[in-house]
Amino acid sequence: MKNKKVLIVAAHPDDEVLGCGGTIARLAREGNTVYTLILGEGITSRDDRRDRGKRVWEIKELKKQVERAGKILSIKNSFVFDFPDNRFDTVPLLDIIKTIEKIKKRVNPDVVFTHHHGDLNMDHQITFKAVMTAFRPLKGERTREILCFETPSSTEWNTSSPLNYFMPDYFVDISRTLKAKIKALKEYKSEAGTFPHPRSPEAVEIAAKNRGVQVGTTAAEAFKVVRIIYP
Amino acid sequence: MKNKKVLIVAAHPDDEVLGCGGTIARLAREGNTVYTLILGEGITSRDDRRDRGKRVWEIKELKKQVERAGKILSIKNSFVFDFPDNRFDTVPLLDIIKTIEKIKKRVNPDVVFTHHHGDLNMDHQITFKAVMTAFRPLKGERTREILCFETPSSTEWNTSSPLNYFMPDYFVDISRTLKAKIKALKEYKSEAGTFPHPRSPEAVEIAAKNRGVQVGTTAAEAFKVVRIIYP
Amino acid sequence: MKNKKVLIVAAHPDDEVLGCGGTIARLAREGNTVYTLILGEGITSRDDRRDRGKRVWEIKELKKQVERAGKILSIKNSFVFDFPDNRFDTVPLLDIIKTIEKIKKRVNPDVVFTHHHGDLNMDHQITFKAVMTAFRPLKGERTREILCFETPSSTEWNTSSPLNYFMPDYFVDISRTLKAKIKALKEYKSEAGTFPHPRSPEAVEIAAKNRGVQVGTTAAEAFKVVRIIYP
Amino acid sequence: MKNKKVLIVAAHPDDEVLGCGGTIARLAREGNTVYTLILGEGITSRDDRRDRGKRVWEIKELKKQVERAGKILSIKNSFVFDFPDNRFDTVPLLDIIKTIEKIKKRVNPDVVFTHHHGDLNMDHQITFKAVMTAFRPLKGERTREILCFETPSSTEWNTSSPLNYFMPDYFVDISRTLKAKIKALKEYKSEAGTFPHPRSPEAVEIAAKNRGVQVGTTAAEAFKVVRIIYP
Amino acid sequence: MKNKKVLIVAAHPDDEVLGCGGTIARLAREGNTVYTLILGEGITSRDDRRDRGKRVWEIKELKKQVERAGKILSIKNSFVFDFPDNRFDTVPLLDIIKTIEKIKKRVNPDVVFTHHHGDLNMDHQITFKAVMTAFRPLKGERTREILCFETPSSTEWNTSSPLNYFMPDYFVDISRTLKAKIKALKEYKSEAGTFPHPRSPEAVEIAAKNRGVQVGTTAAEAFKVVRIIYP
Amino acid sequence: MKNKKVLIVAAHPDDEVLGCGGTIARLAREGNTVYTLILGEGITSRDDRRDRGKRVWEIKELKKQVERAGKILSIKNSFVFDFPDNRFDTVPLLDIIKTIEKIKKRVNPDVVFTHHHGDLNMDHQITFKAVMTAFRPLKGERTREILCFETPSSTEWNTSSPLNYFMPDYFVDISRTLKAKIKALKEYKSEAGTFPHPRSPEAVEIAAKNRGVQVGTTAAEAFKVVRIIYP
């Protein structure tokens, strides 16, 4: 892949790194342009009732982390929106779809990466659904590939049922960019966990090696193909 | 089938034709009575924020198209409601269920056709869920068959996963009513697309022929059985 | 199992008996402590618009039935909340999750029983989702088993698709506590149906015998394993 | 249904009664003609190595039971073949297909009932596969309905996975022919089990009542639609 | 895609054209080299007992048709083997695997196309299984893509269950090579059917248009991704 | 678990270690007795035609490795049979079932571990099927738990479809016995691969850590519940 525009649509800050940080870095290095669209602010679910005012400072801080992580991965531009953290179900789906369509128009991507429908996290599920509608394969649609990434904890903590299980069929060798992924991840200080938390750097590294082993390399990221069109 | 009452429950105007127009025409010709219940107004999702007032004229026009298409297919009566287009998720599901139950009481159908749970369109999904609850197989329940139809674009644009894939197991030969279906479809001028749009008349015809080929005839509509009870 | 704390999370009064009444009685007899958490009030969906005031007396009466049924099954404590009957979709999921987390903290259960994701009833589905998030398998999480029960009518009236079908893999012999289950069920006078209604005592007894036959005994309750961790 | 020809294709003697004995009796009473095709001899798997000679007498006896059960259910004709019991995998599938095609030609059925693909018993699985090929929906094919029945023990003893789970969507009320089913079953003396064996008369009766409850009646048989064509 | 080696592994002559004739022609035109491996002789299942001798002439004739069709599609080389038509189940799977491995060594393909696991035809199923083993993603494995094609009739005549349903996620626009596909198909005179037979030229054309419509073009072939590795 | 009899049924030498070596060691340490039944000789598939004679020495050597690995894991007894490596499909399934039934009688296990039905390796699939039949849940059946393990490479190299994907729901913490598992694995010198081969010691260790992370611990083995009966 070369000279392509790539858009990552994620629900919360750090999901883009967890899901496809290694692939982002690799695609950028190989001459593609990568954008991220982050829908939610990622903070206010800590409160029983959402009080955005109270959390303004933290939200701002988290946005800075998005920038720093983006720089490490050579992301061209990160669009961060303000949908309420872990409360996407209180927003009409159509509003989220229209937000994505706006960025889509601006970026005009060839390839889109987003969450998997089966994630335990409801915001991830809703993000996936909105992407599916925003990128319908109509005549003239430029986007030729839609791929879903896995998000540590959210993906594997749902039920062990075909309803939501992540069963990848597309693998990207990230043996040369795993380091960048881990470095970017560490920028998200406010989101960090310690091993064996699935989003701790050690756990993320083990997961990447484990995916690598499945396809004969030392580190990989795994994806589920939604649709590939060979135009 | 003869002397039966048939109810089509659809989310938006033209879904009833796309999904089972040929079957409607055939059942009506063979001596059954067909009713349609259309839940949403089908227009207001064009706006960022729903403004029903602004769209009154278009809504009225669309209702006339429902009538004209219904006449072509020999539908006895079309009940059209006003749920907000592509925003069914902003309405409590129970409200939709209770609406369907009212029409059910009036029509007392033997057979019900509705959307498939796996459609990409959220209103279709919600319509399906509401039908499932409104027609539970309790003692005394008169409805003996529930069948799901496919809706061009919405059905095949969702993910290619068993979660939502349309896998028909009930086929109706419409080789003699395909023309009526296409004619009825053309009444929906405001909804029309041009080939290769999946809802263009040409595309709908190809789809019908393709389903026909699968069961040894020249045109068919395909359905998924939800429940058949041989009483 | 012995000296364990068991928590049943149900959507409505009587679901706990229908789903696992025999298992509750058995576990209590064998030296475990059983708690139930019932999220919804179970009454107000009878009205077109929820009017809690109008139904206060019935809600109170239903709570008494919870107590009486609980006594028969030797339930230690029943926590009953007030989420709107059959309108859980009008509440942010996060609110339900936080409610469950509060009781979780208090009870600190080893084993959790809850609804199956595939139930036709929307409140059941939402209860399941909330439990899944409230009991994520993080380090330090005490809960080692999550099991889903079936609820007569709601479980088998959904579509016959892998999307939601109840396919049990965990069976508890209740040949000695079936009587207690039926007795507890009869306390729910306001919820009763007559045979062949799936929630009538006769139907519940037949279902228990049918599950028993499947695993070589005379009565059983069937469950679907969500997660078992052997620590 | 009236004046139709119905063919039951079963792997072993007694499967036809267990799977659809009540439906057979009902269809026959209502003016249809029912045939059964039984592929295997049902005896020789008792030996470590098949020795048909040694078991000739038992095979003959079992055939008589087929006749007697058939008479009770008003089966017009039973075709019994000699494929090796529980060793259908030692025969090329094509041979079984060709056998079914021969009987198909003779009977020319409108409706076919057969085993479910997900049965634990390998002969059942192979029977299903062969039926699927023998009754492809080519132009001119007379068979309009293919339905799968469940077989106590074999159906529910397989894994609890969507791969093979029996999820019925077609129900026949057998409240008036359950007695005939049980009576026919009792003719299979050599195959009998005692309660709670799933094939004991008591267990079969409970299962029928349980299926009835699911659709609002007192006894039913449940089927999975493979294909219905409305010609 | 350019300068790639592509291998089609099919069970019988004409499957390669039906499954991906348009894609073959397109890939060849765009500068890739295409090989086909056909495992079975495609003739002898017409007899009750295989008698290869009796059918030698027809087998030879069919091989000539393979050549002629291959020329039209610009296939570089077709390897045709002699496994018994519709009796692949009488051959140890390992023998078929080893045959594929031999051709694999010779061709060293980047991309492999083969049958879908869910085809009704048993030889197709076995071909798929053998390919899966022959192309395991070990370190050093050159093949980066495995895709399954659909085969008219065999793919859609199996059950409508997730077990075997073809749910494509990879589409190739064949609007410029559909003609070549139909022309190649017509070379298989001995295999031809007349409309509405699913393998008749008219039906194949309709199917291609129908797939096209699904992704916004006028003709397409649809595939299921088994595995894509971005090395 | 304590004082239980545990039986591992595996297709080939080393599968028992790969699949559940850590669990075996742990269960043995905690006072249970573990037996293994290995069905195939694990060697002769290297030849185009099986020639057991030629490979006698290697088969003998492999059996010694079974013994040494078993000692490390404290396996009480290993029963090794001689079914032809990677050619289980040339043996009637009934023969394999009867072999398992013999060992079952001797061991009388409470818990059984075996392969997953979805493994790419055909011998694994057949082993699973045979176990399912040999351990049907009849009255009097002593075995209360059947669990499937994953086998590196075979489990994850099959298609990414619900048909065969391994989706675990039962986890055993092996943080204290991971070392023993790796040590036992290294005894299988003739089977070893080098990293990143999925069966290399390093890859096996990564996989165990990855499974651990999923349930909040530092190393785990993952299983799929087939059936648990609480008697």
Side-chain angles (χ1 to χ4, degrees):
Chain A
M1 222 193 282
K2 232 181 202 173
N3 297 323
K4 300 289 182 196
K5 289 177 188 170
V6 178
L7 176 64
I8 320 296
V9 186
H12 313 110
D14 95 345
D15 287 340
E16 82 286 10
V17 179
L18 290 164
C20 52
T23 301
I24 291 173
R26 186 173 162 194
L27 291 176
R29 284 185 195 177
E30 295 180 355
N32 305 284
T33 318
V34 184
Y35 301 84
T36 56
L37 158 51
I38 295 173
L39 290 162
E41 28 79 358
I43 293 286
T44 58
S45 71
R46 297 168 191 184
D47 301 315
D48 270 12
R49 262 159 222 289
R50 190 185 190 219
D51 184 353
R52 201 188 178 288
K54 193 179 135 191
R55 300 285 187 177
V56 158
W57 187 86
E58 287 159 277
I59 291 172
K60 211 178 269 177
E61 178 52 30
L62 191 50
K63 284 190 183 173
K64 281 188 205 151
Q65 298 178 9
V66 172
E67 289 306 319
R68 286 195 295 264
K71 198 164 272 175
I72 291 167
L73 302 177
S74 307
I75 289 168
K76 172 94 180 261
N77 207 342
S78 298
F79 307 92
V80 184
F81 285 80
D82 208 44
F83 287 104
D85 186 40
N86 277 303
R87 285 185 179 94
F88 282 21
D89 62 341
T90 63
V91 178
L93 182 62
L94 193 61
D95 291 5
I96 300 178
I97 294 169
K98 287 184 186 270
T99 301
I100 296 174
E101 285 175 342
K102 255 171 237 159
I103 299 304
K104 174 188 167 179
K105 237 184 196 160
R106 219 167 127 178
V107 169
N108 215 354
D110 302 282
V111 180
V112 170
F113 290 87
T114 192
H115 289 285
H116 185 247
H117 76 266
D119 276 13
L120 177 60
N121 187 287
M122 186 190 47
D123 294 357
H124 295 193
Q125 295 170 23
I126 290 172
T127 300
F128 168 80
K129 280 187 203 171
V131 166
M132 287 300 291
T133 298
F135 292 93
R136 283 160 301 175
L138 278 167
K139 186 165 157 64
E141 172 61 56
R142 181 196 169 103
T143 306
R144 320 299 327 176
E145 295 203 15
I146 304 177
L147 300 167
C148 294
F149 49 76
E150 56 184 334
T151 323
S153 75
S154 189
T155 303
E156 77 273 28
W157 284 351
N158 211 332
T159 52
S160 61
S161 107
L163 181 65
N164 49 40
Y165 214 80
F166 183 75
M167 312 184 221
D169 45 19
Y170 191 108
F171 297 82
V172 176
D173 186 331
I174 62 161
S175 46
R176 294 186 192 175
T177 52
L178 176 56
K179 269 188 195 164
K181 175 178 186 162
I182 299 298
K183 202 178 157 199
L185 182 63
K186 285 180 175 166
E187 285 299 334
Y188 284 105
K189 290 186 181 76
S190 55
E191 306 298 297
T194 54
F195 188 78
H197 192 290
R199 286 188 287 204
S200 64
E202 295 84 345
V204 169
E205 210 176 314
I206 285 166
K209 285 178 182 168
N210 195 49
R211 288 297 184 201
V213 160
Q214 287 170 24
V215 290
T217 179
T218 56
E221 278 169 349
F223 303 94
K224 177 74 193 167
V225 172
V226 169
R227 195 183 296 117
I228 295 179
I229 301 174
Y230 193 85
Chain B
M1 222 193 281
K2 231 183 204 174
N3 297 322
K4 299 289 183 196
K5 290 178 186 170
V6 178
L7 177 65
I8 319 298
V9 186
H12 314 109
D14 95 345
D15 287 341
E16 81 287 10
V17 179
L18 290 163
C20 52
T23 300
I24 291 173
R26 185 173 162 194
L27 291 177
R29 284 186 196 178
E30 295 180 354
N32 305 284
T33 318
V34 184
Y35 302 83
T36 56
L37 158 52
I38 296 173
L39 290 162
E41 28 78 0
I43 294 285
T44 58
S45 71
R46 297 166 190 185
D47 302 314
D48 270 13
R49 261 158 224 290
R50 189 187 190 216
D51 183 352
R52 201 189 179 288
K54 193 178 135 192
R55 300 282 186 179
V56 158
W57 188 87
E58 288 159 278
I59 291 173
K60 212 178 269 179
E61 178 52 31
L62 191 50
K63 283 191 184 173
K64 280 187 207 150
Q65 299 178 7
V66 171
E67 289 305 320
R68 286 195 295 264
K71 197 164 274 177
I72 292 166
L73 302 177
S74 309
I75 289 168
K76 171 94 180 261
N77 207 342
S78 297
F79 307 92
V80 184
F81 285 80
D82 207 46
F83 287 103
D85 186 41
N86 276 304
R87 285 186 179 94
F88 282 21
D89 64 339
T90 63
V91 177
L93 182 63
L94 193 60
D95 291 5
I96 300 179
I97 294 169
K98 285 182 186 272
T99 300
I100 297 174
E101 285 175 340
K102 256 172 237 159
I103 299 304
K104 175 189 166 177
K105 239 186 196 158
R106 221 167 125 176
V107 168
N108 215 357
D110 301 282
V111 180
V112 170
F113 290 86
T114 192
H115 289 286
H116 185 245
H117 76 265
D119 276 14
L120 177 60
N121 188 285
M122 188 192 45
D123 294 356
H124 295 194
Q125 294 170 25
I126 291 172
T127 300
F128 169 79
K129 279 187 203 171
V131 166
M132 287 302 289
T133 297
F135 291 93
R136 284 160 301 175
L138 277 167
K139 187 167 158 60
E141 171 62 54
R142 180 194 169 105
T143 306
R144 320 301 324 177
E145 294 202 17
I146 304 177
L147 300 166
C148 294
F149 49 75
E150 53 184 335
T151 322
S153 76
S154 189
T155 304
E156 77 274 28
W157 284 350
N158 211 333
T159 51
S160 61
S161 107
L163 181 64
N164 50 41
Y165 215 78
F166 183 75
M167 311 183 222
D169 45 18
Y170 191 108
F171 297 82
V172 176
D173 186 332
I174 62 161
S175 46
R176 295 188 191 173
T177 53
L178 176 55
K179 270 187 194 164
K181 175 176 184 163
I182 300 299
K183 201 177 158 201
L185 183 62
K186 286 179 175 166
E187 286 299 333
Y188 284 106
K189 292 187 180 74
S190 56
E191 307 297 298
T194 54
F195 188 78
H197 193 291
R199 286 188 287 202
S200 64
E202 295 84 346
V204 169
E205 209 176 314
I206 285 166
K209 285 177 181 169
N210 196 49
R211 287 299 183 197
V213 161
Q214 286 170 24
V215 291
T217 180
T218 55
E221 278 169 349
F223 303 94
K224 176 75 191 166
V225 172
V226 169
R227 195 184 296 118
I228 294 179
I229 301 175
Y230 193 85
Chain C
M1 221 193 282
K2 232 183 203 173
N3 297 322
K4 299 289 181 197
K5 289 176 188 172
V6 178
L7 177 65
I8 320 298
V9 186
H12 313 110
D14 95 344
D15 286 342
E16 81 287 9
V17 178
L18 289 164
C20 53
T23 301
I24 292 173
R26 185 173 162 193
L27 291 177
R29 283 186 194 176
E30 296 180 354
N32 304 284
T33 317
V34 184
Y35 301 83
T36 56
L37 159 51
I38 295 172
L39 290 162
E41 29 77 1
I43 294 284
T44 58
S45 71
R46 297 168 192 186
D47 301 314
D48 269 13
R49 260 158 223 291
R50 191 188 190 215
D51 183 353
R52 202 189 178 290
K54 192 178 134 191
R55 300 284 187 177
V56 158
W57 188 86
E58 287 160 279
I59 293 173
K60 211 178 269 178
E61 178 53 30
L62 192 50
K63 283 192 184 172
K64 280 187 207 152
Q65 298 179 8
V66 172
E67 288 307 319
R68 285 196 294 263
K71 198 164 272 177
I72 290 166
L73 302 177
S74 307
I75 289 167
K76 172 93 181 261
N77 208 341
S78 298
F79 306 92
V80 185
F81 284 80
D82 208 44
F83 287 104
D85 186 41
N86 276 304
R87 286 186 178 93
F88 281 22
D89 63 339
T90 62
V91 177
L93 183 62
L94 193 61
D95 291 4
I96 300 179
I97 294 170
K98 286 184 186 271
T99 301
I100 297 174
E101 285 175 341
K102 255 172 236 158
I103 299 304
K104 175 188 166 178
K105 236 184 197 160
R106 219 167 125 177
V107 168
N108 215 356
D110 302 282
V111 180
V112 170
F113 290 86
T114 193
H115 288 286
H116 185 245
H117 76 266
D119 277 13
L120 177 60
N121 188 285
M122 186 191 48
D123 293 357
H124 294 193
Q125 295 170 23
I126 291 173
T127 300
F128 169 79
K129 280 187 201 170
V131 165
M132 287 302 289
T133 298
F135 291 93
R136 284 161 300 177
L138 279 167
K139 187 167 156 61
E141 172 61 57
R142 181 197 170 104
T143 306
R144 320 300 324 177
E145 296 202 16
I146 305 178
L147 300 167
C148 295
F149 49 76
E150 54 184 335
T151 324
S153 76
S154 188
T155 304
E156 77 273 27
W157 284 351
N158 211 332
T159 51
S160 61
S161 108
L163 181 65
N164 50 41
Y165 214 79
F166 183 76
M167 313 183 220
D169 47 17
Y170 191 108
F171 296 83
V172 176
D173 187 331
I174 62 161
S175 47
R176 294 188 192 173
T177 52
L178 176 56
K179 269 187 195 164
K181 175 176 186 165
I182 299 299
K183 202 178 156 197
L185 181 63
K186 287 180 176 166
E187 285 299 333
Y188 284 105
K189 293 189 180 73
S190 55
E191 306 297 299
T194 54
F195 188 77
H197 193 291
R199 285 187 287 204
S200 65
E202 295 82 348
V204 169
E205 210 177 315
I206 285 167
K209 284 178 182 170
N210 196 50
R211 288 298 185 200
V213 160
Q214 286 171 23
V215 290
T217 179
T218 56
E221 278 169 349
F223 303 95
K224 176 75 190 166
V225 172
V226 169
R227 195 183 296 118
I228 295 179
I229 301 174
Y230 192 85
Chain D
M1 221 193 281
K2 233 184 203 171
N3 296 323
K4 299 288 183 197
K5 289 178 187 171
V6 178
L7 177 65
I8 320 298
V9 186
H12 315 108
D14 96 344
D15 287 341
E16 81 288 10
V17 179
L18 290 164
C20 53
T23 300
I24 292 173
R26 186 174 160 192
L27 291 177
R29 284 187 195 177
E30 296 181 354
N32 303 284
T33 316
V34 184
Y35 302 82
T36 56
L37 157 51
I38 296 173
L39 290 161
E41 29 76 358
I43 293 286
T44 57
S45 72
R46 298 168 191 183
D47 302 314
D48 270 14
R49 263 161 221 288
R50 190 185 190 219
D51 183 354
R52 202 189 177 290
K54 191 178 136 192
R55 300 285 186 176
V56 159
W57 187 86
E58 287 160 278
I59 291 173
K60 209 177 271 179
E61 177 52 30
L62 192 50
K63 283 190 181 172
K64 281 187 206 152
Q65 299 178 9
V66 172
E67 289 305 320
R68 285 194 296 262
K71 196 164 274 176
I72 291 167
L73 301 177
S74 307
I75 289 167
K76 172 96 182 258
N77 208 340
S78 297
F79 306 91
V80 185
F81 285 79
D82 208 46
F83 287 103
D85 187 41
N86 278 303
R87 285 187 179 93
F88 281 21
D89 63 339
T90 61
V91 178
L93 183 61
L94 193 61
D95 291 5
I96 300 179
I97 294 170
K98 287 184 186 271
T99 300
I100 297 175
E101 285 176 339
K102 254 171 239 160
I103 298 303
K104 174 187 166 178
K105 237 186 199 161
R106 220 168 125 174
V107 168
N108 215 356
D110 301 281
V111 180
V112 169
F113 290 86
T114 192
H115 288 285
H116 185 246
H117 76 267
D119 277 13
L120 177 59
N121 187 287
M122 189 190 44
D123 293 357
H124 295 194
Q125 295 171 26
I126 290 172
T127 300
F128 168 80
K129 279 187 202 171
V131 166
M132 287 302 289
T133 297
F135 292 92
R136 284 161 300 174
L138 279 167
K139 188 165 157 60
E141 171 61 55
R142 179 195 171 104
T143 305
R144 319 300 324 177
E145 295 202 17
I146 304 177
L147 299 166
C148 295
F149 50 75
E150 53 185 337
T151 324
S153 76
S154 188
T155 304
E156 77 273 27
W157 283 352
N158 210 331
T159 52
S160 61
S161 110
L163 181 65
N164 49 41
Y165 214 79
F166 183 75
M167 312 184 222
D169 46 19
Y170 192 109
F171 296 82
V172 177
D173 187 332
I174 61 159
S175 45
R176 294 188 192 173
T177 51
L178 176 55
K179 269 188 195 164
K181 176 178 184 161
I182 300 299
K183 202 179 156 198
L185 182 63
K186 286 181 175 165
E187 286 299 335
Y188 284 106
K189 292 190 181 74
S190 55
E191 305 297 296
T194 55
F195 186 78
H197 192 290
R199 285 189 286 203
S200 65
E202 295 84 345
V204 169
E205 208 175 318
I206 286 167
K209 285 177 180 169
N210 196 50
R211 288 297 184 198
V213 161
Q214 286 171 25
V215 290
T217 181
T218 54
E221 279 169 349
F223 303 94
K224 177 76 191 165
V225 172
V226 169
R227 194 183 298 118
I228 295 180
I229 301 175
Y230 192 85
Chain E
M1 219 193 284
K2 234 184 203 172
N3 298 322
K4 298 291 183 196
K5 290 177 187 170
V6 179
L7 176 65
I8 320 297
V9 186
H12 314 110
D14 95 346
D15 287 340
E16 82 287 9
V17 179
L18 290 164
C20 54
T23 301
I24 291 173
R26 186 173 161 193
L27 291 177
R29 285 186 195 177
E30 295 180 356
N32 304 285
T33 318
V34 185
Y35 302 84
T36 55
L37 158 51
I38 295 173
L39 291 161
E41 29 78 358
I43 293 286
T44 57
S45 70
R46 297 167 191 186
D47 302 314
D48 270 11
R49 264 161 221 288
R50 190 186 190 218
D51 182 354
R52 203 188 177 291
K54 189 178 137 191
R55 301 284 187 178
V56 158
W57 188 86
E58 288 159 279
I59 292 172
K60 212 178 268 179
E61 177 53 29
L62 192 50
K63 283 190 183 172
K64 281 187 205 150
Q65 300 178 9
V66 172
E67 288 305 320
R68 287 195 294 263
K71 197 165 273 175
I72 292 166
L73 302 176
S74 308
I75 289 168
K76 172 94 181 261
N77 208 341
S78 297
F79 306 92
V80 186
F81 285 80
D82 207 44
F83 286 104
D85 185 41
N86 277 304
R87 287 188 178 92
F88 281 22
D89 63 339
T90 61
V91 178
L93 182 63
L94 194 59
D95 290 5
I96 299 178
I97 295 169
K98 287 183 185 271
T99 300
I100 297 174
E101 285 175 341
K102 254 171 238 160
I103 299 303
K104 174 188 166 178
K105 237 185 197 159
R106 218 165 128 176
V107 169
N108 215 355
D110 301 283
V111 180
V112 170
F113 290 86
T114 193
H115 288 285
H116 185 246
H117 76 267
D119 276 14
L120 177 60
N121 187 286
M122 189 190 46
D123 293 356
H124 295 193
Q125 295 170 24
I126 290 172
T127 300
F128 168 79
K129 280 188 203 171
V131 166
M132 287 301 290
T133 297
F135 290 92
R136 283 161 301 174
L138 278 168
K139 187 166 158 62
E141 171 61 56
R142 180 196 172 105
T143 306
R144 319 301 322 176
E145 295 202 18
I146 304 177
L147 299 166
C148 295
F149 49 75
E150 52 184 336
T151 323
S153 77
S154 189
T155 303
E156 77 274 28
W157 284 351
N158 210 331
T159 53
S160 61
S161 109
L163 181 65
N164 50 40
Y165 214 79
F166 183 75
M167 311 183 223
D169 46 17
Y170 191 108
F171 296 83
V172 176
D173 187 332
I174 62 160
S175 46
R176 295 189 191 172
T177 52
L178 176 56
K179 269 188 197 166
K181 176 178 184 161
I182 299 298
K183 203 179 156 198
L185 182 62
K186 286 180 176 165
E187 286 298 335
Y188 283 106
K189 290 187 182 75
S190 56
E191 306 296 298
T194 55
F195 187 77
H197 192 290
R199 284 187 288 204
S200 66
E202 295 84 344
V204 168
E205 209 175 317
I206 285 167
K209 286 177 181 171
N210 196 49
R211 288 297 183 200
V213 162
Q214 286 170 24
V215 291
T217 182
T218 55
E221 279 168 349
F223 303 95
K224 177 76 193 165
V225 172
V226 169
R227 194 183 296 119
I228 296 180
I229 301 174
Y230 192 86
Chain F
M1 221 193 281
K2 232 183 203 172
N3 297 321
K4 299 289 181 197
K5 290 176 185 172
V6 178
L7 176 66
I8 320 299
V9 185
H12 314 108
D14 95 343
D15 288 339
E16 81 288 9
V17 179
L18 289 163
C20 54
T23 300
I24 292 173
R26 188 175 158 193
L27 291 177
R29 283 186 196 177
E30 295 181 355
N32 304 283
T33 318
V34 184
Y35 302 82
T36 57
L37 157 53
I38 295 172
L39 289 162
E41 29 77 358
I43 294 286
T44 58
S45 71
R46 297 167 193 186
D47 302 315
D48 270 12
R49 264 161 221 288
R50 189 185 190 218
D51 183 354
R52 201 188 179 289
K54 188 178 139 193
R55 300 286 187 175
V56 158
W57 189 85
E58 288 160 278
I59 292 172
K60 209 178 269 179
E61 177 52 31
L62 191 49
K63 283 190 183 174
K64 280 188 205 151
Q65 298 178 9
V66 172
E67 289 304 320
R68 285 195 294 264
K71 196 164 274 177
I72 290 166
L73 302 176
S74 307
I75 289 167
K76 173 94 181 259
N77 208 341
S78 298
F79 306 92
V80 185
F81 285 80
D82 208 45
F83 287 104
D85 186 41
N86 277 304
R87 286 186 179 95
F88 281 20
D89 62 340
T90 61
V91 178
L93 182 62
L94 194 61
D95 290 5
I96 300 180
I97 294 170
K98 287 184 185 269
T99 301
I100 297 175
E101 285 176 341
K102 255 172 235 159
I103 299 303
K104 175 188 165 178
K105 236 184 199 162
R106 217 166 127 175
V107 168
N108 214 355
D110 302 282
V111 180
V112 169
F113 291 86
T114 192
H115 288 285
H116 185 246
H117 75 266
D119 277 14
L120 177 59
N121 186 287
M122 189 189 46
D123 294 355
H124 295 194
Q125 294 171 25
I126 290 172
T127 300
F128 169 79
K129 280 188 202 170
V131 166
M132 286 302 289
T133 297
F135 291 93
R136 285 161 299 175
L138 278 168
K139 187 165 156 62
E141 171 62 55
R142 180 196 171 105
T143 306
R144 320 301 323 179
E145 296 201 16
I146 305 177
L147 300 165
C148 294
F149 49 75
E150 53 184 336
T151 323
S153 77
S154 187
T155 304
E156 77 274 28
W157 283 350
N158 211 331
T159 52
S160 62
S161 109
L163 181 65
N164 49 40
Y165 214 79
F166 184 75
M167 310 183 222
D169 46 19
Y170 191 108
F171 297 82
V172 176
D173 186 332
I174 62 160
S175 46
R176 296 189 191 171
T177 52
L178 176 55
K179 269 188 195 164
K181 175 176 186 164
I182 300 299
K183 204 179 155 197
L185 182 62
K186 287 180 174 165
E187 286 298 334
Y188 283 106
K189 292 189 181 74
S190 55
E191 307 297 298
T194 55
F195 187 78
H197 193 290
R199 286 189 285 205
S200 66
E202 295 83 346
V204 169
E205 208 175 319
I206 285 167
K209 285 178 181 169
N210 196 51
R211 288 295 183 199
V213 161
Q214 286 171 24
V215 291
T217 181
T218 55
E221 278 169 349
F223 304 94
K224 176 76 190 164
V225 172
V226 169
R227 193 182 299 119
I228 296 181
I229 301 175
Y230 192 85

